[in-house]
Amino acid sequence: MNTSTQFPGSAEDAEREALRYAACLPGEEILFPEGRWVQQPSLYRSALQALRSEIEIIRQEWKSDEGFSPIEHIKTRIKEPDSILDKLSRLGVKPTLDHTIERIHDLAGMRIVFAFVTDIYLLLDRIDRHPNLQILWTKDYIMNPKPNGYRSLHAELSVPVMFAGRLCHVRVEVQMRTLAMDFWASLEHILLYKYDRRVPDHLVRELSSAAGAAGELDHKMLALRSEVLSLSDEDEQ
Ligand code: GTP
Ligand code: MG
């Protein structure tokens, strides 16, 4: 697995070109009129479409080999202007195009939700062996959950896209999680949003224990799947 985060100059140039137009830049300062993209950056849209179709192909192959699809659903998003400006301010840098490209690596994001936890690693392995896709790094919050209990596998991929007549390698941040992890993360997000991230200690403890329960549910479902598979093997004999 390649851990390099270096990109060929042409990809950065393409990002700059795509963002300059989409963020309505007079110079280097980012404007985002009315807090919106003027037009969503087409480079990232294309990268998400390209990645989605590669994953769909893997999903179909998997379905015909194994008889089921490990993927429940896929969502994609391009980071909202407010969230870009928030992140740049958290990082303590000026809202410029260069800082956006250098410091924000999740402008294009994909979330893949699975039924079973082991399938996350199988898909990661297929992506790793895919000739067009490159894994730049992974953060495994499943093996090493965050202190609040958050679990998911994050990976940054480099996706080849033809843009303005040249081949560019675009970064896409992918989050892979089970239905149980997704359920927990979605509710935790709603709760934290509501409480403006100032959550009392006892609630943090409760959330973390709920994350543990979601983890146990994943283990239980895996064990049930093994049992069901062994039953169907017996039936075939
Ligand atoms: P961002 O500034 O959000 O990109 O964080 P980061 O660059 O430090 O990366 P990290 O891997 O911590 O988080 C990236 C994304 O994962 C977030 O934008 C969320 O979508 C998700 N995430 C990470 N931690 C949590 C969490 O504790 N709760 C929930 N609900 N989502 C989380
Ligand atoms: Mg991030």
Side-chain angles (χ1 to χ4, degrees):
M1 206 175 284
N2 192 330
T3 53
S4 155
T5 53
Q6 291 299 307
F7 285 85
S10 68
E12 286 202 355
D13 291 348
E15 283 194 49
R16 211 162 271 121
E17 226 170 277
L19 288 180
R20 176 167 285 119
Y21 179 62
C24 192
L25 292 160
E28 279 306 288
E29 206 81 8
I30 300 179
L31 280 187
F32 296 129
E34 294 170 22
R36 291 173 196 215
W37 290 107
V38 176
Q39 187 188 327
Q40 280 204 331
S42 48
L43 178 70
Y44 295 107
R45 261 208 333 264
S46 305
L48 287 171
Q49 273 167 9
L51 181 58
R52 187 190 275 269
S53 55
E54 296 291 5
I55 304 279
E56 285 296 342
I57 292 168
I58 298 176
R59 183 192 215 170
Q60 287 308 322
E61 275 175 15
W62 200 313
K63 203 167 177 181
S64 58
D65 291 354
E66 314 281 339
F68 75 100
S69 161
I71 297 169
E72 282 294 313
H73 58 261
I74 299 176
K75 278 190 193 162
T76 57
R77 68 104 181 89
I78 290 174
K79 205 172 184 78
E80 291 297 334
D82 277 353
S83 161
I84 294 174
L85 296 175
D86 268 6
K87 190 159 177 176
L88 290 175
S89 131
R90 262 188 286 132
L91 293 169
V93 297
K94 280 194 183 151
T96 65
L97 193 60
D98 281 345
H99 286 147
T100 306
I101 292 164
E102 279 162 24
R103 307 295 294 274
I104 303 191
H105 294 175
D106 60 346
L107 287 168
M110 175 177 280
R111 183 171 294 154
I112 311 176
V113 176
F114 295 74
F116 298 102
V117 66
T118 43
D119 295 333
I120 293 175
Y121 295 95
L122 293 178
L123 181 71
L124 191 70
D125 182 54
R126 292 212 184 191
I127 292 174
D128 196 26
R129 288 187 283 114
H130 195 292
N132 295 347
L133 303 173
Q134 195 188 351
I135 300 175
L136 300 169
W137 53 252
T138 58
K139 283 190 217 166
D140 191 343
Y141 298 124
I142 297 175
M143 300 297 270
N144 302 297
K146 287 197 168 184
N148 64 356
Y150 176 78
R151 295 185 311 136
S152 278
L153 193 138
H154 294 189
E156 185 160 300
L157 307 186
S158 168
V159 180
V161 176
M162 282 304 290
F163 185 76
R166 61 196 165 172
L167 180 68
C168 304
H169 293 89
V170 183
R171 290 170 302 204
V172 176
E173 197 169 287
V174 182
Q175 298 177 349
M176 297 188 233
R177 45 170 83 150
T178 62
L179 286 163
M181 294 172 197
D182 193 47
F183 173 75
W184 181 91
S186 303
L187 295 196
E188 190 256 11
H189 181 77
I190 293 168
L191 288 172
L192 287 199
Y193 183 76
K194 193 168 171 191
Y195 285 93
D196 196 20
R197 298 211 165 248
R198 288 188 301 273
V199 188
D201 282 354
H202 76 277
L203 275 182
V204 174
R205 281 196 299 277
E206 290 289 329
L207 274 169
S208 165
S209 122
E216 279 168 31
L217 192 59
D218 274 333
H219 278 114
K220 188 155 198 149
M221 289 303 172
L222 260 187
L224 284 173
R225 174 164 81 166
S226 303
E227 270 195 50
V228 170
L229 286 178
S230 63
L231 279 179
S232 54
D233 283 351
E234 278 172 25
D235 286 349
E236 276 169 25
Q237 281 163 15

